[in-house]
Amino acid sequence: MKEENLWCLKENGYDPGLHKHYEGLFTQGNGYMHVRGSFEEGCSDAPQDEEYLRFPDNVTLEKPRHPKSKQGTFIPGIVGRHPLLKEEIVNLPYYLGVEFLSAGERLDMDLCRISGYQRWLDLRDGSLHRSVVWETAEGMKIHCTFIRYLSMADTHLCIQQVQLEVLSGEGSLEVKATLRADVRTNGMNHYARIVPSADSEGSLSLETITEEGNQIFMLSALEVSEAVTWHAENTRMMAALRGECRLRAGDRLTLSKLTTVTTDRDMEEGTVRDRALAHLSHARNLGWEQLYNRHAAKWKSKWQHADIRIKGDDAAQVNVRASLYHLIRSNAEQDARVAICAKGYAGEAYFGRYFWDTEINLLPFFLHTNPQAARNLLLFRYNTLEGARRNARNYGYRGARYAWESSLSGEEQCANWQYADHEIHITADVVYALYHYVNATGDEEFLERYGIDILVETARYWCDRVDWNREGYGELLGVMGPDEYLPFTRNNAFTNRMVKFSLEQTVACLDSLQSGKPDSYAAAAERLGLRPDERELFRHTAEKLRLPYDSRMEIVPQSDDFAHYADVEFESLWTDRSRPFGHFISQERNYRSKALKQADVLELMLLFPQEFPREQLKAAYAYYEPITTHDSSLSVAVHGIVASWLNHKEEAEAFLQRVMAIDFSPEKKGAAEGIHIANCGGLWQLIVYGFAGLASAMWSGTIKLQPRLPEGWEELSFQIVWRGEHYRITVNSGAYEVQKLNGGEAVAGTTI
Amino acid sequence: MKEENLWCLKENGYDPGLHKHYEGLFTQGNGYMHVRGSFEEGCSDAPQDEEYLRFPDNVTLEKPRHPKSKQGTFIPGIVGRHPLLKEEIVNLPYYLGVEFLSAGERLDMDLCRISGYQRWLDLRDGSLHRSVVWETAEGMKIHCTFIRYLSMADTHLCIQQVQLEVLSGEGSLEVKATLRADVRTNGMNHYARIVPSADSEGSLSLETITEEGNQIFMLSALEVSEAVTWHAENTRMMAALRGECRLRAGDRLTLSKLTTVTTDRDMEEGTVRDRALAHLSHARNLGWEQLYNRHAAKWKSKWQHADIRIKGDDAAQVNVRASLYHLIRSNAEQDARVAICAKGYAGEAYFGRYFWDTEINLLPFFLHTNPQAARNLLLFRYNTLEGARRNARNYGYRGARYAWESSLSGEEQCANWQYADHEIHITADVVYALYHYVNATGDEEFLERYGIDILVETARYWCDRVDWNREGYGELLGVMGPDEYLPFTRNNAFTNRMVKFSLEQTVACLDSLQSGKPDSYAAAAERLGLRPDERELFRHTAEKLRLPYDSRMEIVPQSDDFAHYADVEFESLWTDRSRPFGHFISQERNYRSKALKQADVLELMLLFPQEFPREQLKAAYAYYEPITTHDSSLSVAVHGIVASWLNHKEEAEAFLQRVMAIDFSPEKKGAAEGIHIANCGGLWQLIVYGFAGLASAMWSGTIKLQPRLPEGWEELSFQIVWRGEHYRITVNSGAYEVQKLNGGEAVAGTTI
């Protein structure tokens, strides 16, 4: 395959049933804003403004609306309230609109005579390309080319270019450029006020005020190669300019649409309108080429740190890059008021909320490719500590309890109580991530400035949440572990271990701060109202918290009561393995059965690898994998890593394929509702922790590798940042090399 | 106290904060329809048409709307769909409306100058009386008397009479009679079409068509003692007639409003309008006196069977009669398409749905006072078997699964999955009730005609619902027992015992039918598609179903996992015992704690008294009562009975007071959202099973008594029907007598 093709995610052929999948997969973004990969002109039979009441439901089982197409324009931080679903990210007005009409026939990919269709996302610069020949009813043959990108350098800007080349015939052509507010989010209208405007100079604007009071200003400037007179055709919901020209064979019409978007949440001075005008003028001063060069340079620099090169497996190469692409664009980098939502801002599902994926699935990628971004993800948790405090209070506890589903404030947004109430491990996951960050970067100061507050407040919560049994051991009852198919277990191994870790670290941090930085300790103690006896309580709770396993057990049980759940006859129940197991069993039955949604004990072993003998890991994999349904997208990457560690090469490779299929298989249409961004992080981990066998920076002070490459992979290479130093890691089928990039010796070894 | 006063439920004094409580408590009804005890003229600051979206919530914890007043007009069987709450009984248009204006001043109990207020419900005939002196702003003093009743003989009729006597002053008075459709049910508008009509002859009508297509026709005829000219003043929502007259001291104005209500669900021929006209004309032909006499005779006959006479405790006497009154009026008697809803059709709470209370709490009263009504309650379950089959299918099971919350079809209506999915004992409760009915009445034919279908279909469900453990025992996992504060237990003792009973009876019934009535057996086997091996499966499952207790245990555990829940420090948490414990603890914490909402093991012991040695009963009471919050109204009566059985006299008497306080204490305002009808049934059981010590007809073939009267009760007497024979039971402090009423010998004994 040509090097270029290894950077292009292509749509193969044309299938109207896949519009929604590719809309998700081709989502473009630059951290500041994100737009799904919809056709500029839309689909005439897929209205975007259907209003309905969406109910809280199990996302795995729910039948999504909008079967054909759903546009999506998201700015992290612009959220609205839904009466049933709580806070959701608002799907903003659609600013990509460009429509064409030939003698009354509207260009519509599904209704017109179309040939030579090609579409691809260029992962190098995040530009989306479409090329198609439109044979109009009137008899013209027009080659249409669409290119667009969201600037990674000037993040308020979207650049679009459309070129129409008349191959044969002649006729008049109408062009319509729009900014459309006829968009609903999960059936809900979040717009309180819409002010469209357009002038004949080719300038369009749409000012939107949401019910929550956020202002969003969109401003587009049109440039067209032919002499076109623009007429405003605004409606209540839409700013629109229409122009007309006459074309004949050989003619080329080029339309550029430069759009700038500002909101009242931007960290800039001035009104949304003034700033939009400034951004636009800045862009025009730069010119198209400069604009593009700045953008491409940013992407290049990001790829320099993030890219993973795989020789010998071109399909994996493209998919891995596409996965990295979504990780890169999802991160706001400079803005610690938001994190990365579960669908990578590529769809309305999960309502733009932040889960434990951030800490456990996404963070390692950022730790080792962009530590500043990783730091901001942790700062987000620090910034939402007040919301976590309110959560604890709402349940009657002291301290801070992170939300199972967080939005901006950190307050619980999950509308299904079994998750919100019982999936408590998130609060410990944040602490694990905090230490992962500190250990990977060496940024000890972060602990002292921010981490200590998180540690003490969450420790207080845990001490209230623990019940003491008659033998004097602390227990965590009524817990949903990572496996969401058991909502109400006793002493979930994963959760209890994480909580024990979290409490131990709190004590250790207080100890070391007190002895090492007494002033800083005194300030924290005062700020947090630390009572003299509290540290002892944390220590005692850490020490006495029950773990439902020990090193002599053959099988580490998922929880103390796991043996009491019912065995499942998967063969007779799960008659179509291409669909989730959850479709074949009622929740009632599922909740009392030994059918795991996802890795639970294995996730524990992944996070604490040094604590489990290889035999225990092997036994756990052999026992749990067959009863794990992998209905969650957080599951297969974990299993792939463990399979790789156990040197079950074929299984590890099969898991690699399953990881990639989650979003990239057109059969699964997995990206339709957004990108499974945790799984993108999981793919990075599968390659780095699994195939390259990098020891987690959580537990290893130095770079240690134990590579086991999949069959056919000739070479795997990638960069990592490790405690501030940059390294290139190269793994061949027989050997590996770790090269320090800013000077220093290379380390080498052999591959398993 | 005068005999008359022992039949009158009185409002003491006047307190605007108690309107809603008395509206519930003074609900009138006749089986066909029910109307809350609102003032005829309404309260001007309590609109009835507020629209809002009510969310599924815990009824104990939810803050009800309409703090001041909520009218309620209910016809069992007229239901509508709510987008979140599923099917709910529709609050129908308010047909009692009569308003008075004096020189523009509208009679409003809270805004006008009012004195001499008295209101009482005469329990003998269910008539509601109000007497009040209105001193108008213009200076008139008017003595107003309101009387109304819903005819127990002519159930489509409501009779109202208002008399105004001018004590002093003079002036003009406007009278307005209305039929108002500005009524919402839990914030929801269920009316699709409203047609008001009125004519100057004093006739008013309102035709309503609900969203579900039900027709309700209300027709009123006014008669007035003075010459009044009626003017129609209809609005879109209301039929209204207004008239005016001039009055002076000594004048009396009498207004009668005779209203007939018909619906398309009535089991009568003809259109709603024609039938309403016929009912009205029938009533007019009878005349006021005859109408009343027919009504009063019906009530008298009902009281003859149902009354409980208590000498020596007048307060209990009135409350017990009020409780019996609500039981009597709630029952539709002739209509097995409906049962008795949880709030006794006296409010919108619980949405007019049917729970297990019907079988366990209400049925005994009807079994022994009105066996035909009891039979219809069981027929209702037979009639909804198809819905129960659909429920089973929806969960992936064979057979029939009764809904935790049933409406007309029997399909599950409960919007909170923890109850709907896990509180499965209802399906066995129906079978228990079936046998209770057969044993109490001797109606074996019922089993053969209807019961067998319920038995076989529910047995099939149980066989699918049971999980088999590795020791070869059947288990019921993921179960909420009667105690709704533990949603997810393993082998709940109550549930498993009930299911075992249910399966055993199914096998026994099939055995006896096959040998005793082979034709009937063959027909049932064919109708039910009974496979040859099924009976053996039922037998095996019944035999091997695990019970988490045996007769040697000191404490019967509520479930196999009960010991693993956390102990609760009630003292520190429950700081105000006048409010439910549930207000002081989060659901999350509650669900993992040993805090019972209600009787669970004790309920089991009440239903299977012969199976538990007295020491076990005593130990269970001693252990469970202190950790039972009695947050459910199904709890205190059970505890009272057990306390009485254990001869804990003071505690039994204290529970009697708590039972009565649930609806009758103005401090608690317990009747505001409707009557706790299960607790009314519980009060009957407390007196009959507890204080009189009657052995349940479920287990005893003959009448056996072991009375223990509360302190101060000189004599307790009541009638019961027992296997078709009527008996009068009289208990004195030292002795009791059972007198067969249709001939036969009296049996006597001594009281404990």
Side-chain angles (χ1 to χ4, degrees), chain A residues 55 83-84 395 397 417-418 421 465 467 470 477 488 490 564 566-567 586-589 591-592, chain B residues 55 83-84 395 397 417-418 421 465 467 470 477 488 490 564 566-567 586-589 591-592:
Chain A
F55 292 81
L84 300 179
Y395 281 97
Y397 303 118
W417 62 264
Q418 68 266 45
D421 284 4
R465 179 61 175 76
D467 289 305
R470 287 168 190 194
L477 306 178
F488 204 81
R490 180 155 50 90
H564 290 299
D567 292 318
S586 68
Q587 176 182 285
E588 177 263 294
R589 190 166 183 180
Y591 274 3
R592 61 182 156 87
Chain B
F55 292 80
L84 300 179
Y395 281 97
Y397 303 118
W417 63 263
Q418 67 266 46
D421 284 5
R465 179 62 176 74
D467 288 307
R470 285 166 191 195
L477 306 178
F488 205 80
R490 180 156 49 90
H564 291 298
D567 292 317
S586 68
Q587 176 182 287
E588 177 264 293
R589 190 165 184 181
Y591 274 3
R592 61 182 156 89

Side-chain angles (χ1 to χ4, degrees), chain A residues 574-593:
Chain A
W574 199 357
T575 49
D576 175 2
R577 294 256 171 168
S578 73
R579 291 165 57 207
F581 175 68
H583 289 190
F584 296 88
I585 192 169
S586 68
Q587 176 182 285
E588 177 263 294
R589 190 166 183 180
N590 207 357
Y591 274 3
R592 61 182 156 87
S593 300

Side-chain angles (χ1 to χ4, degrees), chain B residues 584-632:
Chain B
F584 297 87
I585 192 168
S586 68
Q587 176 182 287
E588 177 264 293
R589 190 165 184 181
N590 207 356
Y591 274 3
R592 61 182 156 89
S593 300
K594 282 182 194 139
L596 279 61
K597 188 174 179 191
Q598 63 208 90
D600 194 305
V601 167
L602 293 185
E603 183 80 56
L604 165 66
M605 292 177 168
L606 186 66
L607 298 189
F608 295 87
Q610 76 289 5
E611 296 186 4
F612 297 91
R614 189 174 173 84
E615 280 313 303
Q616 245 180 1
L617 181 67
K618 200 168 169 179
Y621 178 84
Y623 177 71
Y624 287 109
E625 200 288 321
I627 58 171
T628 302
T629 64
H630 305 297
D631 279 3
S632 158

Side-chain angles (χ1 to χ4, degrees), chain B residues 248-275:
Chain B
R248 58 183 175 186
D251 282 354
R252 274 187 197 192
L253 175 77
T254 309
L255 172 75
S256 304
K257 184 178 180 188
L258 178 65
T259 302
T260 176
V261 183
T262 53
T263 82
D264 65 319
R265 274 184 62 86
D266 302 337
M267 291 176 287
E268 295 178 329
E269 296 283 315
T271 67
V272 286
R273 178 183 298 266
D274 289 350
R275 289 188 283 110

